[in-house]
Amino acid sequence: MERDEGQYAVDGEPQGLQLSSLAAVCRRRVRLIALVMVMVVGLVAAVVFTRQPQYESQARVQFTSPKSISGMGALGSMPSLLGITFGSSSVETQRLLLIGETMVVEAAKSLGIHEPWRELKKRVKASVVPNSDLIDITVFDTDPDRAADLANKVANRYIDAAREYDRQSSSEAAAYIKDEMARVREQLQHSRDSVRDYKRDRKIIDVEAQTRSSMDILTRMLADQAETHGALVAAQEVADEYRRRLSEQSATYVSASTIGRNPVVTSLEQRLAELETEKAGQEAIYTAEHESVKQLEQRIAQVKRELEDAVRTVVESEVTSTNPVYVDLAGKLAAAESDRRAARAREAAEEAMIAKHRRSMSSLPEVELELAGLQQETSALAQVYMMLVTRYNEMKLNETLTLSNIRLVEPAKAAQEPSRPKKVVNMTLGLILAFLLSIMAVGAAEALDHSVRSRAHAESAAGAPCLGMVPRAGRPEALAIGADGASASFEALAISDTFHSVAARLRARCESEGAMTVLVASPAPEDGRTTVAAHLAASIARGGRRTLAIDGNLRRPALAAMWLGEGAATSPGLADVLSGLADASDVVVATDLPNLWIVPPGRAASHPATLLASPTARAAIDALRGQFDAVVVDSPPASLFADSALLAGICGRVVLVARVYKTPHDGLADAAARFAEAGAQVVGLVANAAPEARRERYT
C-alpha cells in the first residue's frame, strides 16, 4: 500500500508538518534550499572577500584622580579652580573627551589624514577597562602603521592638552592669589594703623614696652609658625614627589609610616622637638646672636644631621636596586623626609611656645588685652599673608613643571594581521544565516502552496477515493506504454504495477451491466491525464477485456499519437464522426497491444464544444461502447474548457487525475463539482507524480 504523508483534518486541510514528513519536504524543496543557500553564502562571501582588510591598533592611557591643594582652609573665598586639573575625575568623562571631535580631527590632520568627523568616529573608539583607571584608544585603518600612529597621536595630543589646561589653571590660580595677597596686605597695614591709633588714644605708656615686647614675641612666633608650616607643606610635597618617582623606578614603596616606626628616628624626633622648644624659649629672652641661642642652633643642626642619617639608613634598607637613578632618588627622598620631620618637630615646639606665651599675656590689664586683640588680628593677617606667599610660589612651580594626571602607559604598535573582516567567523555566520533563511523560505513556500499534497488531501477535494498514487518517473522511458517486460527498469515496473492496481480498483467500483465507460479528466494542463488514460486503457486490455481508447481532446490531442505516431493526425476520428463525415465504426483503429483499439481525434474542429454538445456525440459513444468491454476517454483540461463536462455527461463516470504538489486543491474540487452538475459520477482519482509513492523492488 502506498504511504500517505502528513496529518489532515476532516476537511482535508493540512494540520501541520510532522517530524516524519520533514525529510520529504526538504527533498521536495531541495532546489529552493540550494538556491537560497547559494545566494546568501555567495553574497556573504562577496562581501567578506572583497572588503578591504582593516588593521586594529590600541594605545592605553592611565588617568589618576587629581590632587587637591592642601592647606587652603583659611582661604574660604578661594575658587574651586585651585584644586582642579584637566577635566573631571570621572574616567568615563575622560573617555568622552578623548574621542571628542576636536581632539580626533586635529590629531588626524597632524598626520595628513583629512577625513570628515563622521568617518573618523567610525574608526576611532575609546573604552574604559572595567574596574580600573585605564582607557583604551582603538583605531581601525587599512594601513597598520597609520592606525598605530593615529592612536598614539590622539593619546599624546590629549595628554598635551591636559598639561596645557593644568598650566593655565595654575597660572589663573597664581593670579588670583596675587590679588588676594594685595588685599590682605592692605588689611594688614590697616590693622597695624589701628593698633597705633589705639595706643595713642588710650595713652598707653607705662606698660607699652612690656606689651610691645610680648606682642612682638607673639607676632614673631606666629610668623615663624606660618613659615614653619609652609616649609612643612613644601617638604611634604617634595617627599611625596620623590616617593612617586621612586615607585615608578621600582615596585618598592618607602612609605612615611615605615620611616616613622623606626625607634632611632622616633627618638631623634623627640630630641629635636625638645631642642626646638628650648631654642624658642631662649629667643623670647635673647637675640639670635646670643651665645646660648647659637649653641642651641648648633645642637639642633647636629640632631638634624643624625636624623637625616637615620632616615637614609631606613630608606636604604628598603632599597635593593643598584640603579643610579633609583639610588639618587632614594637619597633625595631621605633628605626630604628628614626636612619634613624636622619641620614637624619645629612646628610642634612653636605651637607649645605660642600657647605658653598666650597664657602669660592673660595677666595684662583689660585695655592691654584689647590692644593685644588688635595685635592678634594683625598677627593673623600676617599669617594669612605668609600662607598666600607660600601658595603663590607653589602655583608658579606647578605652572613651570606642567605635571599631568594622565599618561601614556602602553603606546600603540602596528598590527601584523588584519582584524577585519574575520573571514572564518563571517562565513560561519553566513552559513548559519543561509540555513535559517532557507528554512524560512521553505516554510513560506509550504504556507503559500495550496496544491494537492497527499492521498487524503486529494480525496477531500475530489469527494472520491484515491485509486492509486503513481510514482514520479525519473526518466521519460519509464512512462512508455508496454515498458513492463523482462528488460524494463524498476521505475517502469513500478508505474505499470500501479496502473494495474488502478484498473482493478476501477473495475471493482464500476461493476454493472454493459461496457465500463470512464472519462479521464484533470483540472489543469500537464497534470498527466493523457498518460494516465493511456496506461489505464493498456492495463484494462492486458486484463483480457476488449478496450477502446478515445482521444476526446479535440483541442490538443495526444492520446492517439502514443500508438499511431504521426499517422494519428491524418486518420479520421471522433471529430469526423461528430461532423457526420464518418461512421463511428469506421474510425476505430487497432493497436499493437492485444485487446486495445483507439479512436483518433480526427480533423481539427473549430468549435469542439459545439460538436460534443450535439446528440450525435452521445449516439456515437453509445454505439462504440456497445462493441467493447471498456471505453476510456481522454479530455482537455476541465478548468479551461467545457469539453470535459460535456464528455462527462455522456460517459457517466469520471476518473480525476491530480498531479501531487502541482494541481490546486480548490481546482480539483471545482472540477468534481462541475462533473457532478453534468450528471457524472466521480468514481475515483489518480494521484500522479507522487514522490512518496516509490516502492522497493523485490527480486
Side-chain angles (χ1 to χ4, degrees):
M1 179 180 289
E2 296 86 351
R3 184 176 55 185
D4 188 13
E5 296 289 344
Q7 295 291 331
Y8 290 84
V10 176
D11 59 356
E13 287 298 321
Q15 291 180 334
L17 289 175
Q18 302 294 316
L19 291 176
S20 60
S21 64
L22 287 177
V25 172
C26 292
R27 285 196 304 269
R28 187 172 69 256
R29 302 290 182 180
V30 64
R31 293 184 179 179
L32 177 61
I33 294 175
L35 176 62
V36 174
M37 292 283 290
V38 170
M39 290 179 61
V40 175
V41 173
L43 180 61
V44 173
V47 173
V48 170
F49 290 99
T50 58
R51 185 178 179 185
Q52 196 170 9
Q54 294 280 328
Y55 295 85
E56 176 183 349
S57 291
Q58 189 177 84
R60 176 167 290 182
V61 298
Q62 184 181 28
F63 167 74
T64 56
S65 299
K67 295 180 180 180
S68 60
I69 298 176
S70 60
M72 299 300 292
L75 303 179
S77 61
M78 184 68 71
S80 60
L81 63 87
L82 291 179
I84 65 172
T85 57
F86 187 66
S88 168
S89 60
S90 168
V91 181
E92 177 62 21
T93 302
Q94 297 294 326
R95 184 191 71 82
L96 296 175
L97 292 173
L98 253 174
I99 57 172
E101 178 178 358
T102 302
M103 193 68 62
V104 175
V105 171
E106 293 299 326
K109 287 182 179 179
S110 66
L111 295 175
I113 303 174
H114 301 283
E115 294 184 14
W117 167 241
R118 63 177 179 273
E119 297 297 331
L120 285 173
K121 68 180 180 180
K122 298 177 182 177
R123 302 194 295 108
V124 181
K125 306 293 182 182
S127 59
V128 178
V129 179
N131 302 321
S132 73
D133 55 359
L134 302 175
I135 302 175
D136 289 335
I137 306 171
T138 306
V139 177
F140 298 92
D141 201 288
T142 56
D143 186 346
D145 294 327
R146 187 167 58 184
D149 292 342
L150 182 56
N152 290 329
K153 179 61 70 175
V154 170
N156 290 325
R157 191 172 186 84
Y158 185 74
I159 293 173
D160 293 341
R163 288 175 177 170
E164 176 60 23
Y165 186 90
D166 288 342
R167 187 199 65 77
Q168 184 178 359
S169 298
S170 297
S171 177
E172 293 175 356
Y176 179 84
I177 293 175
K178 188 174 182 181
D179 293 340
E180 287 294 303
M181 287 172 59
R183 184 180 63 81
V184 173
R185 188 185 302 112
E186 182 179 352
Q187 292 179 352
L188 180 60
Q189 183 62 40
H190 176 72
S191 178
R192 288 173 178 172
D193 292 343
S194 298
V195 171
R196 187 183 63 251
D197 294 341
Y198 181 85
K199 290 192 295 183
R200 186 187 61 228
D201 295 341
R202 303 264 185 314
K203 298 179 180 180
I204 301 175
I205 299 174
D206 296 338
V207 292
E208 181 178 0
Q210 180 181 358
T211 303
R212 182 174 62 252
S213 176
S214 298
M215 292 308 302
D216 288 344
I217 292 173
L218 180 60
T219 301
R220 185 172 64 253
M221 287 182 177
L222 291 174
D224 291 342
Q225 183 188 31
E227 182 180 358
T228 301
H229 181 74
L232 175 60
V233 172
Q236 178 67 52
E237 293 180 353
V238 171
D240 290 344
E241 176 65 19
Y242 284 135
R243 187 174 286 106
R244 183 187 66 79
R245 295 183 183 180
L246 194 63
S247 64
E248 291 179 354
Q249 296 292 325
S250 172
T252 304
Y253 183 83
V254 183
S255 63
S257 60
T258 301
I259 299 174
R261 288 194 299 267
N262 186 275
V264 177
V265 173
T266 303
S267 175
L268 290 173
E269 283 183 353
Q270 294 176 352
R271 183 179 176 189
L272 185 60
E274 293 173 355
L275 290 174
E276 289 288 352
T277 303
E278 185 178 354
K279 177 188 172 186
Q282 292 294 329
E283 287 179 344
I285 302 174
Y286 306 110
T287 63
E289 301 297 326
H290 196 272
E291 183 66 21
S292 60
V293 176
K294 289 184 177 181
Q295 291 179 356
L296 287 174
E297 288 178 347
Q298 293 176 356
R299 293 170 61 186
I300 290 173
Q302 177 63 29
V303 173
K304 283 184 178 180
R305 287 192 295 270
E306 294 177 2
L307 178 60
E308 182 177 354
D309 292 339
V311 171
R312 181 178 289 104
T313 301
V314 174
V315 173
E316 289 176 353
S317 66
E318 298 293 325
V319 174
T320 58
S321 173
T322 59
N323 186 345
V325 176
Y326 186 88
V327 173
D328 180 65
L329 289 174
K332 292 180 179 180
L333 173 60
E337 188 67 23
S338 176
D339 291 341
R340 185 184 70 83
R341 294 180 179 277
R344 187 173 66 183
R346 186 167 62 253
E347 184 182 45
E350 289 172 348
E351 288 178 352
M353 291 300 299
I354 289 173
K356 180 179 179 182
H357 189 73
R358 284 177 174 170
R359 287 193 300 271
S360 66
M361 291 179 63
S362 62
S363 60
L364 292 176
E366 181 179 353
V367 174
E368 295 302 325
L369 288 177
E370 187 175 354
L371 176 62
L374 292 174
Q375 292 176 336
Q376 177 67 25
E377 180 182 356
T378 303
S379 177
L381 288 172
Q383 183 179 1
V384 171
Y385 183 79
M386 293 300 298
M387 186 179 298
L388 286 173
V389 171
T390 301
R391 293 301 157 210
Y392 179 78
N393 293 331
E394 289 178 359
M395 292 299 102
K396 291 306 246 181
L397 179 62
N398 289 340
E399 184 180 354
T400 303
L401 294 177
T402 62
L403 298 177
S404 174
N405 61 324
I406 305 173
R407 62 193 184 101
L408 180 64
V409 294
E410 291 184 14
K413 298 179 181 179
Q416 301 299 320
E417 298 292 336
S419 60
R420 299 177 180 176
K422 299 178 180 179
K423 297 180 179 179
V424 175
V425 175
N426 291 341
M427 289 305 300
T428 302
L429 294 176
L431 287 172
I432 296 174
L433 177 62
F435 175 75
L436 294 177
L437 290 178
S438 64
I439 295 300
M440 293 174 62
V442 168
E446 287 293 309
L448 297 174
D449 186 5
H450 300 292
S451 62
V452 173
R453 302 185 186 181
S454 69
R455 177 195 294 271
H457 201 200
E459 289 176 345
S460 68
C466 181
L467 302 177
M469 300 184 71
V470 181
R472 178 184 297 171
R475 295 177 297 174
E477 295 81 1
L479 293 173
I481 303 298
D484 57 353
S487 61
S489 65
F490 167 68
E491 285 186 326
L493 291 175
I495 292 173
S496 177
D497 182 62
T498 300
F499 279 111
H500 284 307
S501 299
V502 171
R505 293 171 184 169
L506 181 61
R507 287 195 301 270
R509 292 187 61 83
C510 298
E511 288 294 341
S512 63
E513 296 181 359
M516 178 182 68
T517 305
V518 294
L519 175 71
V520 179
S522 69
E526 299 181 359
D527 286 336
R529 67 188 173 282
T530 300
T531 302
V532 171
H535 278 276
L536 183 58
S539 297
I540 295 173
R542 289 190 182 98
R545 295 196 176 194
R546 288 169 54 84
T547 305
L548 176 64
I550 300 176
D551 195 343
N553 188 353
L554 302 182
R555 300 180 184 273
R556 288 187 180 180
L559 181 64
M562 292 184 177
W563 285 280
L564 303 180
E566 296 180 357
T570 59
S571 300
L574 181 62
D576 299 285
V577 174
L578 299 180
S579 300
L581 301 178
D583 188 65
S585 59
D586 295 336
V587 297
V588 177
V589 180
T591 66
D592 295 337
L593 189 65
N595 297 324
L596 180 61
W597 287 263
I598 189 168
V599 175
R603 69 181 63 190
S606 58
H607 300 287
T610 303
L611 296 176
L612 293 173
S614 65
T616 307
R618 181 178 293 276
I621 292 178
D622 287 343
L624 290 173
R625 83 171 79 187
Q627 304 174 28
F628 298 91
D629 299 325
V631 178
V632 179
V633 183
D634 189 19
S635 63
S639 62
L640 301 180
F641 308 104
D643 304 15
S644 296
L646 296 173
L647 287 171
I650 296 172
C651 295
R653 295 185 178 92
V654 179
V655 173
L656 277 173
V657 177
R659 189 179 184 91
V660 180
Y661 301 119
K662 183 179 183 300
T663 302
H665 180 273
D666 295 341
L668 188 62
D670 291 343
R674 289 187 184 184
F675 295 144
E677 292 176 358
Q681 176 189 4
V682 179
V683 295
L685 64 91
V686 175
N688 189 29
E692 294 87 359
R694 297 186 177 182
R695 299 178 178 180
E696 299 289 340
R697 181 178 183 180
Y698 293 90
T699 58

